[in-house]
C-alpha cells in the first residue's frame, strides 16, 4: 500500500484531536479545548468533520446537570491516522 | 522538498507533544505539596510531644515495678492514639491536596476526574495500598520500628509509579523518599525524624519548586 498524506489531517487542530484520542480511551470537549487551545466553535467544526468521516465517535452524556460530550477514536480513524504517520515518516526518510 | 521534510518533522513533534500532554494529569498543584508538608510537620510535632509526655511508652522497658498488665494496656492505648493521629494527618493532607488541585484544575479548565487523573490515581494507589497493608501488619506484630521506613519507601515507590501520568518531576521526590526509607531501616531511633524530613520538609520543598515551575 502506498502511504499518502491524508487531506483531512492538513489541519493542526484535527491532527491534535486524533493524537489525543490515540493515547486516551475517551477525551471530553473541555479537555480537548484546553489541550489544543482553540475556541468552542472552531473545535466543534473540526470534530464534526472527523465525525462525518467516521474517524471519531461522539458520546453525549451528563455530569450532574452539565453536558459532558466525550469522543473516542474509531478503527477507521485509527488506521487512517497510522497511515498518515507512516506517510510523514516516509517523507522524512526518503529525503534523508 | 526540503520544506516538506521540515513540515513533517514539526508535525510529528506536535503529535508527540499532544500525546504526552493529553495522557498526563498536569493540574497537580504545588500548594498541595506545601500543605501536605505542613500537615506532616504539625503531626510530627504532636507525636513528638506525646513520646516525651508518656513515660509509660518511652521507658516502658525500665519500669519493672509496674504490673505487666498495666504496662501492656498503656502501650496499647498509646499505639491506638498514634494510629489515629497518623490517619488524621493523612486525611487533612489529602483533603488539602484535593482542594488545591481542584482549584488548579478549575483554573486550567479541566476536570479533576478525567481519564489521565484516574490513571494517575490508580498507579499511585497500588503501591500505596500495599504499603498500608505492610505498615499495618508490622504494627500488628509489634514492630513499630519499621513503620517509618515502610511509609517512606512505599510512598516513594507510589510516586515513581504515578510519575508516568503527571509531571515527571514527581519521580525525583519519589526516589528521595525511597532513599530516606532505606536509610531509616538502619538508623534506630531516628524514625520520627526521618519521617518528618520525608513527609514534611521534602513535600514543602517539592511543593515550592512545582509551584514556581508550573503554577505561577
Amino acid at each position: 500500500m502506498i502511504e499518502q498524506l491524508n487531506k483531512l489531517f492538513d489541519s493542526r487542530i484535527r491532527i491534535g484531536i486524533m493524537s489525543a484520542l490515540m493515547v486516551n480511551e475517551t477525551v471530553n470537549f473541555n479537555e480537548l479545548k484546553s489541550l489544543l487551545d482553540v475556541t468552542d466553535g472552531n473545535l466543534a467544526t473540526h470534530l464534526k468533520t472527523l465525525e462525518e468521516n467516521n474517524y471519531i465517535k461522539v458520546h453525549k452524556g451528563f455530569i450532574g446537570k452539565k453536558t459532558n460530550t466525550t469522543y473516542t477514536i474509531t478503527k477507521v480513524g485509527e488506521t487512517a491516522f497510522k497511515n498518515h504517520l507512516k506517510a510523514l515518516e516516509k517523507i522524512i526518510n526518503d529525503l534523508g | 522538498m526540503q520544506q516538506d521534510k521540515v513540515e513533517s518533522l514539526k508535525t510529528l513533534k506536535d503529535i508527540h507533544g499532544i500525546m504526552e500532554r493529553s495522557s498526563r494529569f498536569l493540574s497537580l498543584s504545588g500548594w498541595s505539596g506545601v500543605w501536605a508538608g505542613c500537615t506532616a510537620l504539625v503531626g510530627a510535632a504532636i507525636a513528638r510531644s506525646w513520646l516525651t509526655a508518656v513515660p509509660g511508652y518511652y521507658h516502658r522497658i525500665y519500669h519493672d515495678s509496674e504490673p505487666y498488665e498495666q504496662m501492656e494496656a498503656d502501650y496499647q492505648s498509646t499505639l491506638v492514639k498514634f494510629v489515629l493521629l497518623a490517619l488524621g494527618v493523612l486525611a487533612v493532607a489529602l483533603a488539602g491536596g484535593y482542594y488545591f488541585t481542584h482549584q488548579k484544575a478549575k483554573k486550567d479548565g479541566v476536570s479533576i476526574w478525567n481519564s489521565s487523573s484516574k490513571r494517575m490515581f490508580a498507579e499511585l494507589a497500588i503501591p500505596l495500598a500495599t504499603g498500608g497493608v505492610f505498615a499495618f501488619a508490622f504494627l500488628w506484630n509489634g514492630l513499630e520500628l519499621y513503620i517509618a521506613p515502610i511509609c517512606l519507601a512505599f510512598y516513594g515507590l507510589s510516586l515513581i509509579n504515578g510519575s508516568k501520568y503527571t509531571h515527571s518531576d514527581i519521580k525525583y521526590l519519589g526516589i528521595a523518599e525511597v532513599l530516606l526509607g532505606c536509610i531509616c531501616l538502619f538508623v534506630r531511633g531516628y524514625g520520627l525524624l526521618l519521617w518528618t524530613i520525608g513527609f514534611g520538609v521534602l513535600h514543602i520543598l517539592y511543593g515550592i519548586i512545582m509551584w514556581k515551575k508550573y503554577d505561577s
Side-chain angles (χ1 to χ4, degrees), chain B residues 71-205:
Chain B
M71 241 168 65
E72 195 57 26
D74 279 354
Y75 171 64
Q76 293 292 350
S77 69
T78 310
L79 216 55
V80 169
K81 254 170 69 180
F82 274 103
V83 170
L84 289 178
L85 174 67
L87 292 176
V89 167
L90 181 69
V92 173
L94 284 179
Y98 177 82
Y99 172 76
F100 289 116
T101 298
H102 183 77
Q103 293 298 103
K104 176 131 198 290
K106 215 161 89 181
K107 211 178 90 190
D108 294 346
V110 299
S111 157
I112 195 168
W113 203 233
N114 62 22
S115 44
S116 44
S117 76
K118 278 183 203 161
R119 252 185 314 209
M120 181 191 76
F121 288 124
E123 295 293 312
L124 283 173
I126 296 164
L128 209 57
T130 313
V133 173
F134 266 72
F136 181 75
F138 274 65
L139 202 60
W140 186 262
N141 292 310
L143 299 164
E144 316 91 74
L145 189 65
Y146 295 104
I147 302 302
I150 288 172
C151 288
L152 287 165
F154 278 88
Y155 178 61
L157 291 174
S158 141
L159 292 181
I160 295 169
N161 209 35
S163 67
K164 293 187 289 268
Y165 295 114
T166 179
H167 293 297
S168 50
D169 314 61
I170 207 172
K171 193 180 191 169
Y172 301 107
L173 177 63
I175 293 169
E177 302 281 2
V178 170
L179 281 176
L180 268 182
C182 292
I183 293 168
C184 197
L185 278 173
F186 296 100
V187 287
R188 280 170 170 246
Y190 290 98
L192 186 59
L193 178 70
L194 290 172
W195 189 95
T196 311
I197 295 173
F199 285 97
V201 179
L202 286 187
H203 267 145
I204 294 173
L205 269 178

Side-chain angles (χ1 to χ4, degrees), chain A residues 26-93:
Chain A
T26 64
V27 181
N28 73 25
F29 190 86
N30 285 333
E31 285 166 358
L32 284 174
K33 199 179 132 194
S34 66
L35 189 68
L36 303 170
D37 201 18
V38 280
T39 60
D40 283 21
N42 204 348
L43 180 59
T45 314
H46 288 297
L47 284 166
K48 190 101 205 121
T49 312
L50 290 171
E51 190 196 350
E52 280 164 3
N53 283 277
N54 198 24
Y55 281 7
I56 62 169
K57 241 183 128 160
V58 184
H59 313 264
K60 296 216 183 272
F62 285 90
I63 295 178
K65 277 182 180 168
K66 272 192 196 160
T67 55
N68 179 41
T69 311
T70 58
Y71 304 88
T72 52
I73 199 162
T74 62
K75 269 271 163 265
V76 178
E78 210 179 308
T79 314
F81 190 73
K82 280 182 181 160
N83 284 334
H84 185 73
L85 284 185
K86 276 188 204 152
L88 284 173
E89 279 164 7
K90 200 166 183 304
I91 291 171
I92 295 162
N93 291 333

